[in-house]
Amino acid sequence: MIHTGSRNESGHVDNLIDSPENFDQEFERVVGGAADNRAAIHEKLELAFADVELLLDLPHNTYEQLPTGGVII
């Protein structure tokens, strides 16, 4: 399991809750950065331990935009 944490980054997202367009953009930036961090760590692990199988790669913070315009966070 690789967990890189983005707690400091997520505060930027929290502050944009009343600005949906900015929220979406910042959320994608933070989630993308965390994915990049996990991938970099995975690469380092493969250098150290040879073939390391990736079973699942999911952020634990997600949101879904609803057809009505609302979101689930």
Side-chain angles (χ1 to χ4, degrees), residues 8-17 23 26-28 30:
N8 292 336
E9 293 292 321
S10 66
H12 300 293
V13 176
D14 295 342
N15 293 333
L16 298 171
I17 197 72
F23 177 93
E26 186 67 4
F27 186 90
E28 290 298 323
V30 169

Side-chain angles (χ1 to χ4, degrees), residues 35-65:
D36 291 345
N37 287 341
R38 291 190 305 275
I41 291 170
H42 184 242
E43 287 177 22
K44 300 271 187 211
L45 288 171
E46 286 194 318
L47 290 174
F49 299 107
D51 190 25
V52 178
E53 182 181 359
L54 177 63
L55 300 176
L56 184 63
D57 184 11
L58 293 173
H60 60 82
N61 295 320
T62 60
Y63 80 97
E64 176 184 348
Q65 186 150 8

